[in-house]
Amino acid sequence: MNDPQKAKFVSFEGIDGCGKSTLMDRLADWLKEARIPYVRVREPGGTTIGEKIRQILLDPASSDMTGRTEVLLYSASRAQLTWQVIVPALERGEWVLADRFVDATFAYQGFGRGFDPERLEMIQRWATGGLWPDKTILLDCEVALAMSRLGGREGTDRDRIELEEEAFHRKVRSGYLALARKEPERFILLDASKPLEEVVEDFRKRFWLARF
Ligand SMILES: Nc1ncnc2c1ncn2[C@@H]1O[C@H](COP(=O)(O)OP(=O)(O)OP(=O)(O)O)[C@@H](O)[C@H]1O
Ligand SMILES: [Mg+2]
């Protein structure tokens, strides 16, 4: 984070409804004001191929998907995104803002579904050629609060992962916290239960103002 000339690869993580998109909007505004070029991507998806994989992954009709298929489809979408969009953007000197990246697999498929973290890491390193975010913003709050922020989406509007029971999302949340504890240099952990403007202010101080 010390070279102001170097493009930054920043990922945003946390359970559904914690506020990732909202905070990414703010960072996008600050980058525009500072005339720093950036690209913004989402996972799964972000490419034509990745969006097709996203449909398969999130379709509630894919309820018979095996865990291994899930790991590999997320990783396939990520590989496509990495090589088609992220690597070229960083090479052009642009920042990359990613709505989820490798940590989502560690949290959801590792802590959530119980897959071996070392094997998952090996698959991620292969899929991304070892490309890792420079900084990862983890938005943390209670599962019930995050769900309530999604406006009590009706059952029929929820995707396959959102339809998982609350216990699954609690495992994912605590998994994310464990990841942040393991890599305190890369992660910025934000208390997302605070009012939005306070979360934004914490983010501004701890990431934006501290970036050089
Ligand atoms: N700190 C906050 N306090 C109150 N409301 C918030 C806060 N952060 C975000 N919100 C609101 O909660 C809702 C969900 O936020 P957002 O869409 O940013 O979450 P997300 O993590 O991107 O969710 P998803 O994983 O479903 O994309 C939005 O309506 C947003 O305005
Ligand atoms: Mg979002």
Side-chain angles (χ1 to χ4, degrees), residues 26-198:
R26 295 304 181 97
L27 178 54
D29 290 342
W30 300 336
L31 287 164
K32 270 181 227 151
E33 276 168 28
R35 296 176 186 278
I36 296 171
Y38 67 91
V39 298
R40 182 171 172 168
V41 295
R42 73 159 178 185
E43 279 209 347
T47 62
T48 305
I49 291 169
E51 291 295 326
K52 287 184 184 167
I53 297 173
R54 179 185 180 94
Q55 283 173 11
I56 300 170
L57 274 167
L58 299 184
D59 186 350
S62 301
S63 57
D64 53 359
M65 186 181 295
T66 70
R68 287 170 201 241
T69 305
E70 184 177 293
V71 168
L72 293 171
L73 285 178
Y74 274 108
S75 304
S77 169
R78 185 167 300 136
Q80 189 66 31
L81 184 66
T82 300
W83 298 102
Q84 189 181 337
V85 179
I86 300 179
V87 168
L90 293 172
E91 282 175 352
R92 290 193 303 269
E94 298 174 10
W95 280 44
V96 175
L97 316 188
D99 192 337
R100 303 187 181 283
F101 202 62
V102 288
D103 300 293
T105 287
F106 301 141
Y108 283 82
Q109 283 73 47
F111 289 91
R113 304 234 189 265
F115 283 103
D116 172 33
E118 283 179 21
R119 191 179 298 277
L120 292 179
E121 176 155 355
M122 195 188 73
I123 296 169
Q124 298 321 299
R125 295 239 173 239
W126 188 73
T128 70
L131 182 74
W132 238 236
D134 298 313
K135 281 285 171 188
T136 298
I137 315 304
L138 174 57
L139 286 150
D140 176 66
C141 73
E142 296 263 346
V143 174
L145 178 62
M147 282 182 167
S148 74
R149 284 185 186 163
L150 293 177
R153 271 183 209 167
E154 291 303 314
T156 47
D157 292 338
R158 295 204 202 141
D159 68 40
R160 189 178 61 89
I161 304 294
E162 287 171 346
L163 283 167
E164 286 285 343
E165 56 196 23
E166 195 171 325
F168 174 78
H169 295 286
R170 280 202 298 271
K171 279 193 263 183
V172 172
R173 181 199 179 192
S174 61
Y176 269 130
L177 290 171
L179 293 168
R181 275 195 299 275
K182 215 175 89 193
E183 283 186 79
E185 286 291 305
R186 175 163 69 90
F187 276 87
I188 293 179
L189 173 62
L190 298 175
D191 178 356
S193 66
K194 292 183 183 176
L196 180 58
E197 286 316 312
E198 286 182 38

